[in-house]
């Protein structure tokens, strides 16, 4: 008899891991006067991995090298304007679960198997940015672009038995296709004098990705793209009021080559705002509201959610150290549960929390403890 005699011979395991890593790298920096900074170099890690299954006696070994090249160029056009470019590379090794997964019996309809021949993938990330900031005018402007792609990508491979509906899942390296993602964003923030000094912020953005997975021997292409616009306005006056509001539409395209019935194209809209009003007698009235809307799609119902919170407060003493507040949370008694879809899978999130409630709170501010008052 042995120490494993009383254990299940299918779902029991006892692994020992040994990993040795040696890393070497060099990064060079060049500064060209006060306007140009160039950084480039790479790091390399040699990894020796040994996995011993003490239960079966099987030994698994992997030796690999991780490369992490990097470069950055920054050019200062003027004291207030900067242009930059970045590149980063990264080796992505398969995980233990992807190579030699531990068998589990909690989900008999989805069985994961290992692929010991799985190779590493490599990601390339590029970014380009322009920024302008003028502190005296209280304004800023920026443009940014990001792009990344993966070669020899590790993707999910699923085979589903159409009689038993049991799915066997493992991972393979993708050849001939390179998944990628991108994002573009424009941001402009200005103080508008002719509107009484209101601070405005305009943002335009788009992002997307192309990914793949294999289903019953066929390659599925997942395409996701989104576009959004937002406008926000802010106005404040010390000890008088502070008001902020933001609105913006958005649109999302999602397509799946093998399951076109799961395509999910939808428009949406959001808005949020908050306000604080200072009333006589050291009384403050605060409120914030958030609204989100997503149109109905062929798989998901429309979502229409408004969250509204508010509070009435009063401070006491010369330094306003003591504060008594009566606050209301989720005044419209909304349900936060919702459904979402990504890469053809529908996810439902259910929150079992208190909805509308009111709270009376008392707080004391110690931030001035240990300080002294400057003499006039």
């Amino acid at each position: 008899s042995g120490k494993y005699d009383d254990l299940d011979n299918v779902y029991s395991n006892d692994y020992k891991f040994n990993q040795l890593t040696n890393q070497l790298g060099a990064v060079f920096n060049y500064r060209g006067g006060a306007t140009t900074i160039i950084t480039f170099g790479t790091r390399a890690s040699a990894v020796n991995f040994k996995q011993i299954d003490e239960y079966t006696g099987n030994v698994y070994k992997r030796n690999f090298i991780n490369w992490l090249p990097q470069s950055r160029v920054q050019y200062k056009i003027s004291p207030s304007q900067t242009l930059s470019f970045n590149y980063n590379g990264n080796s992505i090794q398969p995980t233990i679960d992807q190579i030699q997964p531990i068998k589990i019996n909690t989900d008999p309809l989805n069985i994961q198997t290992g692929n010991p021949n799985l190779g590493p993938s490599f990601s390339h990330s590029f970014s380009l940015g322009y920024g302008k900031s003028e502190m005296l005018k209280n304004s800023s402007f920026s443009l940014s672009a990001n792009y990344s792609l993966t070669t020899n990508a590790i993707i999910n491979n699923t085979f589903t038995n159409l009689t038993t509906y049991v799915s066997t899942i493992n991972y393979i390296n993708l050849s001939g296709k390179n998944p990628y993602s991108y994002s573009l964003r424009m941001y402009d923030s200005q103080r508008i004098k002719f509107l009484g000094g209101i601070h405005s912020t305009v943002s335009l953005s788009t992002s997307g990705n192309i990914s793949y997975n294999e289903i019953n021997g066929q390659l599925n292409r997942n395409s996701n793209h989104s576009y959004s616009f937002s406008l926000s306005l802010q106005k404040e006056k010390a000890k008088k009021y502070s008001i902020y509001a933001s609105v913006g539409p958005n649109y999302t395209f999602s397509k799946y080559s093998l399951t076109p019935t799961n395509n999910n194209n939808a428009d949406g809209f959001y808005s949020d705002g908050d306000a604080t009003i200072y009333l006589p007698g050291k009384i403050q009235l605060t409120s914030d509201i958030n609204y989100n809307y997503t149109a109905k799609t062929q798989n998901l119902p429309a979502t229409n959610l408004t969250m509204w919170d508010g509070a009435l407060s009063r401070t006491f003493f010369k330094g306003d150290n003591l504060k008594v507040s009566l606050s209301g949370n989720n005044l419209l008694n909304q349900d936060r549960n919702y459904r979402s879809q990504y890469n053809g899978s529908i996810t439902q999130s259910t929150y079992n929390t208190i909805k509308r409630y009111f709270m009376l709170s008392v707080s004391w501010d110690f931030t001035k403890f240990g300080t002294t008052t400057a003499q006039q």
Side-chain angles (χ1 to χ4, degrees):
S1 62
K3 63 177 181 178
Y4 300 115
D5 290 349
D6 296 330
L7 301 181
D8 186 285
N9 60 1
V10 176
Y11 295 105
S12 300
N13 62 82
D14 183 6
Y15 284 104
K16 180 180 181 181
F17 301 96
N18 291 318
Q19 181 172 307
L20 176 65
T21 303
N22 295 286
Q23 186 177 94
L24 178 67
V27 178
F28 300 91
N29 290 278
Y30 167 79
R31 182 179 292 272
T35 60
T36 306
I37 300 176
I38 300 176
T39 303
F40 63 94
T42 187
R43 288 178 293 154
S45 299
V47 182
N48 302 106
F49 174 80
K50 184 178 181 181
Q51 178 187 8
I52 304 171
D53 188 340
E54 300 281 3
Y55 185 71
T56 64
N58 295 329
V59 179
Y60 307 94
K61 294 182 179 181
R62 287 178 67 89
N63 300 315
F64 49 85
I65 296 178
N66 289 329
W67 292 98
L68 294 95
Q70 66 180 74
S71 65
R72 173 178 172 81
V73 178
Q74 179 177 301
Y75 177 67
K76 209 170 185 60
I77 303 172
S78 70
S80 61
Q81 300 180 78
T82 303
L83 183 66
S84 63
F85 169 80
N86 290 273
Y87 165 75
N88 288 281
N90 182 31
S91 296
I92 304 173
Q93 297 295 332
T95 65
I96 295 297
D97 290 340
Q98 294 170 340
I99 298 173
Q100 186 65 36
I102 297 173
K103 292 183 178 180
I104 58 175
N105 59 357
T106 56
D107 189 356
L109 294 179
N110 295 282
I111 301 171
Q112 185 169 319
T113 62
N115 180 4
N117 297 318
L118 201 60
S121 60
F122 195 90
S123 70
H124 304 269
S125 298
F126 307 86
S127 65
L128 181 66
Y130 166 79
K132 181 179 180 181
S133 179
E134 296 181 286
M135 299 298 294
L136 295 179
K137 295 182 179 180
N138 200 6
S139 67
S140 62
F141 176 84
S142 68
L143 287 170
S144 63
N146 297 275
Y147 178 79
S148 65
L149 65 90
T150 304
T151 59
N152 202 41
I154 299 173
I155 65 170
N156 184 296
N157 177 34
T158 302
F159 177 81
T160 301
N161 188 312
L162 299 181
T163 301
T164 63
Y165 295 102
V166 173
S167 295
T168 302
I169 305 165
N170 71 348
Y171 294 85
I172 60 174
N173 289 108
L174 177 66
S175 61
K177 303 286 186 180
N178 296 322
Y180 67 85
S181 64
Y182 69 89
S183 66
L184 298 169
R185 185 172 186 261
M186 185 278 290
Y187 174 91
D188 182 59
S189 181
Q190 305 284 340
R191 186 173 292 278
I192 307 175
K193 293 183 179 180
F194 67 87
L195 291 179
I198 290 178
H199 199 98
S200 70
T201 301
V202 175
S203 177
L204 286 166
S205 65
T206 177
S207 63
N209 67 80
I210 301 294
S211 61
Y212 299 87
N213 64 301
E214 197 163 287
I215 302 174
N216 286 6
Q218 298 185 68
L219 189 64
N220 182 42
R221 184 178 187 267
N222 309 300
S223 173
N224 297 277
H225 305 278
S226 64
Y227 306 87
S228 64
F229 166 81
S230 70
L231 169 66
S232 64
L233 301 173
Q234 184 173 2
K235 174 72 173 176
E236 60 184 28
K237 189 173 183 179
K239 293 298 182 179
K240 295 293 184 181
Y241 58 83
S242 174
I243 301 174
Y244 170 84
S246 179
V247 297
N250 58 77
Y251 202 91
T252 301
F253 297 89
S254 298
K255 296 182 179 181
Y256 313 99
S257 61
L258 293 184
T259 55
T261 56
N262 287 337
N263 290 350
N264 185 43
N265 303 330
D267 59 288
F269 179 83
Y270 92 95
S271 65
D272 65 84
D274 60 72
T276 299
I277 307 297
Y278 295 84
L279 301 174
K282 295 188 175 185
I283 296 175
Q284 299 176 29
L285 180 63
T286 63
S287 177
D288 62 84
I289 189 168
N290 178 276
Y291 171 75
N292 276 282
Y293 167 79
T294 303
K296 180 182 181 298
T297 69
Q298 56 187 353
N299 288 319
L300 299 175
T303 59
N304 199 330
L305 178 64
T306 303
M307 301 300 298
W308 181 26
D309 303 328
L312 180 65
S313 308
R314 189 185 190 282
T315 58
F316 297 86
F317 305 128
K318 183 178 181 180
D320 295 330
N321 305 86
L322 180 64
K323 186 176 184 178
V324 179
S325 300
L326 176 63
S327 59
N329 181 74
N330 195 359
L331 296 174
L332 300 179
N333 206 34
Q334 295 285 289
D335 194 340
R336 297 175 185 265
N337 302 335
Y338 66 93
R339 289 181 179 181
S340 61
Q341 180 172 323
Y342 182 75
N343 279 0
S345 299
I346 297 176
T347 301
Q348 177 167 317
S349 299
T350 303
Y351 296 88
N352 186 19
T353 59
I354 300 175
K355 291 185 182 180
R356 180 195 295 136
Y357 67 86
F358 296 89
M359 178 179 293
L360 179 65
S361 61
V362 180
S363 61
W364 182 270
D365 184 4
F366 290 94
T367 55
K368 296 182 180 181
F369 181 79
T371 61
T372 58
T373 304
Q375 296 296 323
Q376 299 295 328

